[in-house]
Amino acid sequence: MKKTTIMKGAALGALLAGSALVSPAMAQDSIYVANNAYRTGPFSGSGTPIGDGMRDYFTMLNERDGGIGGVKINFEECETGYDTKKSIECYEQAKSKNTVIYSPWSTGATLAAIPRAHIDKIPILSMAYGLSASADGGQFPWVFIPPLTYWDGASIMVRHMANELGGMDKLKGKKLGLIHLDAPYGKEPIPVLEALAKKYGFEVKLYPVAAADMQNQGSLWLSIRRDRPDYLYNQGWGAMNPTAVKEAIKNGFPIAKLVGVWWAGGDDDARAGGPEAKGYKSLNFNAAGSNFPVIQDILKHVVDKGKSLAPKEKVGENLYNRGVYNSMLVAEAIANAQKISGKKVVTGEDVRRGLETLNITEARLKELGMAGFANAVKIACADHSGHNKAYVAEWDGTKWTQKGDWMDPLKDEVRPLIEAAAKDYAEKNAGWPKRAEACEKSS
Amino acid sequence: MTDATLRPAPNLLANGWVKAALILAAIVAAAMVAAKLDGSGTAYKVFIDPFVQMVELPDLLVQTLWEGLVTGVLYALIALGFVLIFKASGVFNFAQGIMVVFAALTLVGLHEKGVPAFLAVILTLGVMFVLAVTIERMVLRPLVNQPDIILFMATFGITYFLIGFGESVFGGNPKQMIAEQLYLPKGAIDLNILGGRVSLQKIDIAAAVIASIMIAALALFFQYTRIGRALRAVADSHKAALSVGISLNQIWVIVWFTAGIVALITGIMWGARSDVSFALEIVALKALPVLILGGFTSIPGAIVGGLIIGIGEKLGEFYWGPLIGGGIESWLAYFIALGFLLFRPQGLFGDKIIERI
Amino acid sequence: MFYREAGQYKTSYSADMAVFPIWQDRIGIAVILALAFIGVPLIGNDFFTTTVMIPFLVFSLAAIGLNILTGYTGLISLGTAAFMGVGAYACYKMTTIFPNVNIIVLILVSGLFSAAIGVLFGLPSLRIKGFYLAVATLAAQFFLQWAFVRVPWLFNYNASGAIEVPLRSVFGIPITGATASPETRYFVCLVLVVVLTWFASNIVHGRLGRSWMAVRDMDIAAELMGIKLLNAKLLAFAVSSFYCGVAGAMMIFLWYGTAEAADVFSIRLSFTVLFMIIIGGLGSLIGSFFGAAFIASLPTIMKFGLPAIGIPLSGATAEHVTFMLLGALIILFLIVEPHGLARLWQIGKQKLRTWPFPY
């Protein structure tokens, strides 16, 4: 008894000492990139393919090119389980290891990281998630939300609706339903949809889904049957999406009028509905499929060598490709930072500058092997999202296909709302630092 | 003659049901009056309008009731697993939710590995049996005679372990339930009643039927078999059962295995309705108000409780939810259960709590 | 040899009833406090302070709160997280309404709001008992969580729907907000926890605490002995919720910074705190600390500590292993010592008394 107690104590002591010693990475010949992922927990279904995509792209860069600009990337994944407490721990670890960029990968984690990052000087890349207001670079110099925000997404949904109906003036008197997760993430599009509804004379109906009832949406869809909205926009996540698709089919809602935000566009989400899910739509900003040189390179250098965690058939799925896209943005930001600063091993401050002047043109995408995989992305000093284009993807029964052209968000409507919200944020967070970082001359 | 006149008039108020009915009637009357007096129309929206809707759109009412019924049956299935274990071993088994997920994942996982569907079911049952034996050996036997809360806590340990184990074996991806391979029906029956379309999913009908068959089978098993009698004896008193030569260990394995079977069937049904993922574990929490409403020790209680909660929360969400922004389903069940508990603190069918000094 | 009470005579009842009757105990507590106030800030880096120590303190306070209700009064509550949430939101609203009041005062006052809500949801406890009472507290949990999302007034109509912690300073030192250093936040947490634990210790050793324990052991008997059940149970709810509320306010203001609070104060947190007191020891203040250390800090230490001492575990695998290990440890501890870590502690002390010559 005594002996085991002592041993237990010793083991615990060693552990404690170990965790106290998580020390800054000393290696100067590599760039440390921290990245959150959630391969566990209730949202792991979406988190796993994204995590695989992000990881594989960096492994591929290291294998094929020997890193970025000749510097190896030390890519480390931190498991959050989509839990804010764990993501704060991950943030602290990333900070202690001098990460050059931090991808929080959940709205809650982003919100918690934003105030810290402005003190710790760590750029945050919340790729099309997080706080929409952070697109205002004037108030949030350290947060980046490319290629577009949820508010842009909602405005694209309205444009899509208008396109199908035959013009913005046809929106009058229509009903748009918003199914959303009953959490800050799900409620993001509400202010924009309400502002647009006022302007164009359509009606917005809200259908909240509590996190505990994600797989139990029966009564909500009865309300949808009663209200008969013309279109439905689904701001859902995780197990909520396949359930919504199934329920739409079950309740006879025309599946072609159900459009999900980009996070509701997983292959598993649509596949759940079986053949009847054909026609389900979601917004998107990356292409699905593996017919791109970049995915082929990943297959060649990573997957075939057994260095990937993803099964081969999952490579090229929509969410996997989105992970690749996220890593591409990080890699491009680092490359751009190397160019601006002239240093090989860049710091967080350099990467922030790199992100702020990020301009990925079509030509550059072609070089990356991503022609047709994504659209051009441009971020500016004041505009940290770029309000870039997105398109509507359609599920054809087996895979996602592009339907219709890339669409610009209604920037004129969204931008003032973002600026107002950013100002409001700075005011409410008393002591919010004024932007001290100068804009790059080139932008 | 004299007897009858001498006997005091029975105090009707002493009966909880009568009291509840009177209070309900008073509330209804007050609501009607309030609706009449209130100028802003809020009271009308709360007290009158939902009922008007029910009458005007009877098809939606029927559909809501049906939804409530099916969800109720599924809640009851989860609750049943809890009740079985609680009755026989006095353990409040928090791990039932994760057992549902675990069973369903094993089934789907085995099928993905190429095992034919029905063989996979049998193998899954085997896994659940092994699980039952393991739990009995590793957890229950060393903890015999401990207070309830300690055993309750131990099931938390089981939950954690199964989450970690399940995720590392099967991964966190949501999986499709192999409903077709198990010959579960697909599609819906559309009925035209009362001037509207009511659609009944075949899978829901199957769920209700299978649940009923299983409950009936369990009832027969408890009533007429030797093991069933032993189970009931154990439920009454551990010591007395031991003294007549019933092996507690054996009974516990059987009970946990039975709960495992129930978990598998629940997993198949919920999985076919949405999909199989760890998020299902959260749904299992809904079994708590069901249990409390029905009483921890009663199988009929679990069923009736499930139906009341299922129908109650669907009606509430559908007709009253929009008034306060919707999404009230998450807590309504608990308030319904609370309301019942205030009149019957031991649940509808629970054993009466007798306290002695 | 070193730890025995021989020769320490008591001359009054109060000396005999003291919380630390032996001078070795008093030295021990002084050493622990010195370590906490001086040692930890000296040795620990920011990572250790923010991810291990502050969470430990916050959870300890929440566990003390729940222990007062469940361990001392015998009322099971699964609504701890919701009561913590009430504290956090109350504190947030008050920082907006009274921007010039000392933030530490506000954190303490927010506990009062939580206490009021706790009493409200504690009313059914007079009629409902045991596991059945859990439903009343679950109703609180789910209802309040819903309200946190659905009542925009609570989060000042923020577009993000989250509590955004503003900068507040005391004597020019930032305490909350992003500029507050981890050490400052740690010190504030530590002082609050030490003071409140001292309070709790006095309450549970006093008249009120003894009436709670009487209610726990058998409420009818307690009633016959003249303890007013209504007062005792509702006071337990009030005091417990006060502690939980303060812990909740500390959690958001001194630890998380900005948080999607409705997601933080979910049912999982309620369960976590319940684990803590059961593992730590029901009806024991020291047990609350042990439980918090075990449940809150152990996974963190395992996750980040194992790779640091050379056991490589990556991402998801580490998480799975942590889950399995934690589950197995819970069961193991319950088998070895069902009365919690506090009981192990007591046994250890008992053994020490006779060491090195046990009889």
Side-chain angles (χ1 to χ4, degrees):
Chain A
M1 174 75 206
K2 201 97 196 196
K3 209 170 202 172
T4 51
T5 320
I6 291 169
M7 272 165 60
K8 259 185 239 157
L12 248 179
L15 274 177
L16 267 170
S19 72
L21 284 175
V22 175
S23 50
M26 286 302 155
Q28 279 306 309
D29 51 345
S30 66
I31 298 173
Y32 179 77
V33 174
N35 198 65
N36 287 358
Y38 42 100
R39 295 165 185 276
T40 60
F43 296 99
S44 56
S46 312
T48 310
I50 294 175
D52 288 338
M54 293 191 290
R55 189 174 171 278
D56 289 354
Y57 185 75
F58 274 112
T59 320
M60 188 269 287
L61 283 187
N62 279 343
E63 292 281 315
R64 189 189 63 184
D65 310 341
I68 301 170
V71 185
K72 280 257 186 218
I73 299 298
N74 179 9
F75 178 84
E76 190 174 46
E77 196 173 283
C78 188
E79 175 64 36
T80 65
Y82 211 76
D83 178 79
T84 310
K85 173 179 178 281
K86 288 182 193 154
S87 69
I88 290 178
E89 291 166 9
C90 286
Y91 176 84
E92 292 296 333
Q93 191 199 29
K95 181 180 130 190
S96 72
K97 291 192 175 179
N98 289 328
T99 185
V100 297
I101 194 162
Y102 173 70
S103 303
W105 279 106
S106 93
T107 300
T110 316
L111 293 175
I114 286 175
R116 290 161 205 253
H118 280 80
I119 306 299
D120 302 329
K121 312 278 180 213
I122 297 171
I124 296 179
L125 176 70
S126 52
M127 184 199 65
Y129 57 84
L131 183 68
S132 292
S134 64
D136 185 351
Q139 302 284 4
F140 297 91
W142 290 91
V143 189
F144 296 85
I145 182 165
L148 73 174
T149 64
Y150 287 138
W151 293 6
D152 295 313
S155 77
I156 290 180
M157 172 65 207
V158 173
R159 279 196 65 184
H160 166 71
M161 206 160 92
N163 281 351
E164 289 206 343
L165 293 168
M168 290 305 234
D169 51 324
K170 297 284 195 328
L171 288 173
K172 208 168 196 65
K174 295 289 179 207
K175 242 188 231 175
L176 170 64
L178 172 71
I179 317 171
H180 65 90
L181 189 67
D182 207 359
Y185 154 68
K187 291 182 354 177
E188 273 279 329
I190 297 174
V192 165
L193 285 179
E194 276 173 352
L196 291 174
K198 217 162 157 195
K199 182 162 178 199
Y200 295 108
F202 62 91
E203 193 189 340
V204 177
K205 281 264 179 194
L206 303 180
Y207 304 104
V209 179
D213 283 321
M214 286 194 300
Q215 296 192 304
N216 187 13
Q217 302 176 8
S219 43
L220 177 134
W221 284 89
L222 284 172
S223 307
I224 291 175
R225 261 180 73 179
R226 172 178 57 191
D227 300 343
R228 298 174 199 282
D230 297 289
Y231 280 84
L232 276 175
Y233 185 51
N234 173 21
Q235 181 100 358
W237 190 221
M240 179 182 156
N241 296 330
T243 312
V245 173
K246 279 195 166 182
E247 287 280 353
I249 295 165
K250 206 169 115 179
N251 285 278
F253 185 84
I255 194 79
K257 310 257 166 154
L258 174 63
V259 184
V261 69
W262 38 84
W263 301 119
D267 287 40
D268 287 326
D269 296 344
R271 209 176 281 141
E276 287 104 326
K278 191 165 174 280
Y280 173 59
K281 293 186 178 60
S282 97
L283 303 183
N284 210 345
F285 49 82
N286 63 272
S290 52
N291 293 327
F292 301 98
V294 59
I295 304 292
Q296 289 304 323
D297 276 355
I298 289 178
L299 282 169
K300 191 172 124 203
H301 292 281
V302 185
V303 181
D304 289 344
K305 286 185 186 166
K307 288 186 177 168
S308 173
L309 297 175
K312 198 166 178 184
E313 70 274 10
K314 293 260 180 191
V315 174
E317 282 197 351
N318 194 12
L319 288 181
Y320 180 92
N321 283 9
R322 191 158 305 149
V324 171
Y325 183 85
N326 185 72
S327 282
M328 181 273 284
L329 288 179
V330 174
E332 284 306 290
I334 291 173
N336 198 24
Q338 287 174 332
K339 205 170 82 191
I340 297 177
S341 67
K343 286 187 277 188
K344 283 265 177 227
V345 180
V346 290
T347 63
E349 170 64 40
D350 299 327
V351 173
R352 191 196 70 76
R353 287 164 62 203
L355 273 164
E356 216 157 59
T357 53
L358 194 67
N359 185 9
I360 305 174
T361 56
E362 291 294 341
R364 178 67 187 151
L365 282 171
K366 198 150 192 247
E367 274 172 50
L368 293 168
M370 289 187 171
F373 180 86
N375 207 14
V377 179
K378 187 170 172 10
I379 302 177
C381 183
D383 182 354
H384 274 195
S385 122
H387 307 284
N388 294 292
K389 291 180 184 181
Y391 70 93
V392 177
E394 191 179 58
W395 180 252
D396 73 351
T398 51
K399 62 179 189 307
W400 288 100
T401 53
Q402 183 164 350
K403 173 120 191 319
D405 294 329
W406 289 80
M407 268 186 279
D408 271 314
L410 298 167
K411 193 178 168 186
D412 296 342
E413 324 279 348
V414 175
R415 192 67 202 173
L417 288 172
I418 282 184
E419 273 160 23
K423 208 166 139 243
D424 186 54
Y425 182 95
E427 269 166 21
K428 281 183 180 154
N429 286 266
W432 189 251
K434 279 256 176 306
R435 181 176 169 128
E437 293 79 5
C439 286
E440 297 296 319
K441 289 197 188 69
S442 56
S443 68
Chain B
M1 190 66 193
T2 45
D3 256 14
T5 43
L6 279 176
R7 200 179 297 148
N11 184 4
L12 280 174
L13 283 178
N15 185 333
W17 293 104
V18 174
K19 222 191 310 185
L22 280 179
I23 291 176
L24 201 68
I27 291 173
V28 170
M32 307 269 272
V33 173
K36 274 267 179 314
L37 296 178
D38 179 33
S40 67
T42 317
Y44 175 80
K45 271 192 218 140
V46 175
F47 298 118
I48 309 292
D49 187 47
F51 298 103
V52 174
Q53 277 188 40
M54 284 181 202
V55 175
E56 280 177 358
L57 297 167
D59 55 324
L60 278 175
L61 177 64
V62 173
Q63 186 83 58
T64 313
L65 289 174
W66 169 249
E67 278 293 330
L69 186 82
V70 176
T71 346
V73 167
L74 290 171
Y75 289 161
L77 269 180
I78 305 178
L80 195 61
F82 280 97
V83 170
L84 279 175
I85 291 179
F86 191 82
K87 252 177 106 83
S89 53
V91 178
F92 187 85
N93 177 26
F94 188 77
Q96 186 68 26
I98 194 70
M99 273 165 69
V100 169
V101 180
F102 190 73
L105 274 178
T106 313
L107 175 64
V108 179
L110 282 172
H111 187 261
E112 273 181 4
K113 292 267 179 321
V115 182
F118 281 93
L119 187 61
V121 172
I122 293 165
L123 286 178
T124 309
L125 287 179
V127 171
M128 295 319 279
F129 182 72
V130 173
L131 184 70
V133 173
T134 320
I135 289 177
E136 195 274 322
R137 279 285 152 80
M138 309 288 289
V139 183
L140 294 180
R141 204 180 284 182
L143 283 177
V144 73
N145 263 338
Q146 294 297 350
D148 292 353
I149 194 151
I150 299 298
L151 287 159
F152 171 55
M153 191 61 209
T155 63
F156 271 113
I158 300 173
T159 309
Y160 266 59
F161 188 83
L162 282 182
I163 290 178
F165 185 67
E167 284 196 347
S168 57
V169 174
F170 304 109
N173 300 25
K175 295 188 168 60
Q176 296 303 313
M177 181 38 77
I178 44 169
E180 276 167 52
Q181 290 88 334
L182 291 172
Y183 300 106
L184 289 174
K186 251 188 108 172
I189 302 172
D190 289 340
L191 299 176
N192 278 312
I193 22 173
L194 310 161
R197 187 179 72 102
V198 176
S199 106
L200 311 179
Q201 294 292 312
K202 285 182 190 157
I203 181 79
D204 292 350
I205 300 172
V209 171
I210 291 175
S212 323
I213 292 173
M214 198 170 63
I215 289 160
L218 280 175
L220 289 177
F221 176 72
F222 267 81
Q223 204 64 37
Y224 293 110
T225 62
R226 208 182 137 77
I227 296 173
R229 272 199 301 277
L231 279 173
R232 278 184 293 147
V234 172
D236 279 347
S237 161
H238 285 186
K239 274 184 198 152
L242 271 174
S243 69
V244 295
I246 296 169
S247 157
L248 272 186
N249 298 336
Q250 199 186 345
I251 292 296
W252 281 340
V253 170
I254 291 170
V255 161
W256 279 77
F257 179 48
T258 319
I261 300 175
V262 174
L264 176 61
I265 292 173
T266 319
I268 294 175
M269 291 305 164
W270 272 111
R273 275 168 70 90
S274 50
D275 62 1
V276 186
S277 73
F278 281 86
L280 260 185
E281 189 208 347
I282 308 173
V283 176
L285 282 178
K286 272 283 168 64
L288 295 179
V290 172
L291 274 175
I292 278 157
L293 181 54
F296 285 117
T297 48
S298 160
I299 293 180
I303 298 157
V304 175
L307 294 182
I308 292 176
I309 296 278
I311 293 174
E313 71 172 20
K314 295 291 174 222
L315 282 179
E317 173 75 49
F318 187 63
Y319 288 105
W320 285 275
L323 298 175
I324 44 173
I328 63 172
E329 226 175 325
S330 58
W331 49 266
L332 194 60
Y334 297 94
F335 276 85
I336 296 174
L338 191 57
F340 275 91
L341 274 192
L342 287 178
F343 293 104
R344 281 187 68 85
Q346 72 277 27
L348 283 182
F349 293 84
D351 301 333
K352 191 153 178 58
I353 303 166
I354 302 164
E355 291 187 87
R356 296 190 181 87
I357 302 284
Chain C
M1 187 154 58
F2 302 110
Y3 184 75
R4 53 182 47 180
E5 64 254 57
Q8 299 184 39
Y9 301 109
K10 308 291 185 313
T11 50
S12 67
Y13 279 118
S14 56
D16 196 40
M17 305 259 304
V19 181
F20 302 112
I22 316 173
W23 63 267
Q24 284 95 334
D25 272 344
R26 270 169 263 159
I27 292 176
I29 199 81
V31 169
I32 292 175
L33 283 180
L35 259 181
F37 275 99
I38 303 162
V40 171
L42 276 183
I43 305 165
N45 55 6
D46 279 6
F47 178 78
F48 184 72
T49 316
T50 37
T51 59
V52 180
M53 287 317 291
I54 296 181
F56 164 67
L57 289 172
V58 170
F59 278 123
S60 302
L61 197 63
I64 289 175
L66 184 61
N67 224 335
I68 286 172
L69 191 63
T70 306
Y72 285 96
T73 323
L75 304 167
I76 294 182
S77 166
L78 290 174
T80 322
F83 298 136
M84 289 170 77
V86 172
Y89 277 96
C91 193
Y92 184 50
K93 282 314 284 183
M94 282 192 295
T95 51
T96 330
I97 298 168
F98 310 106
N100 296 320
V101 179
N102 187 325
I103 183 74
I104 298 173
V105 174
L106 289 185
I107 288 178
L108 285 171
V109 171
S110 56
L112 296 178
F113 288 86
S114 183
I117 301 279
V119 167
L120 195 66
F121 280 98
L123 283 172
S125 71
L126 299 171
R127 198 163 156 73
I128 307 169
K129 284 164 195 165
F131 282 124
Y132 291 98
L133 179 64
V135 78
T137 53
L138 272 178
Q141 170 68 45
F142 284 101
F143 177 71
L144 290 171
Q145 209 186 330
W146 176 85
F148 294 156
V149 183
R150 215 42 85 72
V151 185
W153 177 80
L154 285 175
F155 48 86
N156 285 348
Y157 303 92
N158 284 338
S160 64
I163 295 183
E164 291 162 358
V165 175
L167 169 74
R168 290 287 182 268
S169 308
V170 175
F171 306 123
I173 305 163
I175 301 276
T176 64
T179 38
S181 75
E183 281 79 21
T184 327
R185 289 186 280 137
Y186 170 72
F187 273 123
V188 175
C189 281
L190 187 62
V191 170
L192 282 173
V193 169
V194 168
V195 171
L196 285 173
T197 308
W198 178 66
F199 255 83
S201 160
N202 278 320
I203 293 175
V204 297
H205 287 95
R207 183 189 161 77
L208 190 54
R210 276 176 286 139
S211 72
W212 283 341
M213 286 184 253
V215 170
R216 170 189 67 190
D217 293 340
M218 175 157 270
D219 57 352
I220 295 184
E223 198 176 11
L224 290 175
M225 286 163 66
I227 292 169
K228 289 199 179 78
L229 282 190
L230 179 75
N231 295 3
K233 285 187 175 178
L234 289 188
L235 261 173
F237 262 100
V239 176
S240 155
S241 305
F242 174 84
Y243 275 80
C244 292
V246 173
M250 275 165 59
M251 189 163 181
I252 294 298
F253 279 73
L254 298 170
W255 171 18
Y256 275 53
T258 291
E260 208 178 299
D263 173 51
V264 173
F265 298 112
S266 69
I267 180 92
R268 278 182 185 279
L269 180 63
S270 295
F271 283 127
T272 312
V273 180
L274 185 66
F275 295 174
M276 287 172 187
I277 62 164
I278 297 177
I279 291 287
L282 287 168
S284 154
L285 290 181
I286 186 94
S288 309
F289 286 93
F290 286 145
F294 187 84
I295 302 276
S297 311
L298 194 65
T300 312
I301 291 174
M302 280 193 340
K303 183 171 165 192
F304 297 101
L306 284 181
I309 56 171
I311 304 166
L313 271 179
S314 70
T317 329
E319 196 70 13
H320 298 149
V321 173
T322 312
F323 261 96
M324 286 200 286
L325 220 57
L326 194 64
L329 277 176
I330 289 175
I331 295 171
L332 187 78
F333 263 109
L334 289 176
I335 291 171
V336 175
E337 187 45 72
H339 296 287
L341 299 169
R343 179 95 186 115
L344 276 181
W345 175 252
Q346 261 181 354
I347 294 172
K349 283 211 299 193
Q350 208 61 45
K351 289 242 161 86
L352 257 181
R353 268 184 203 190
T354 54
W355 185 83
F357 303 114
Y359 34 83

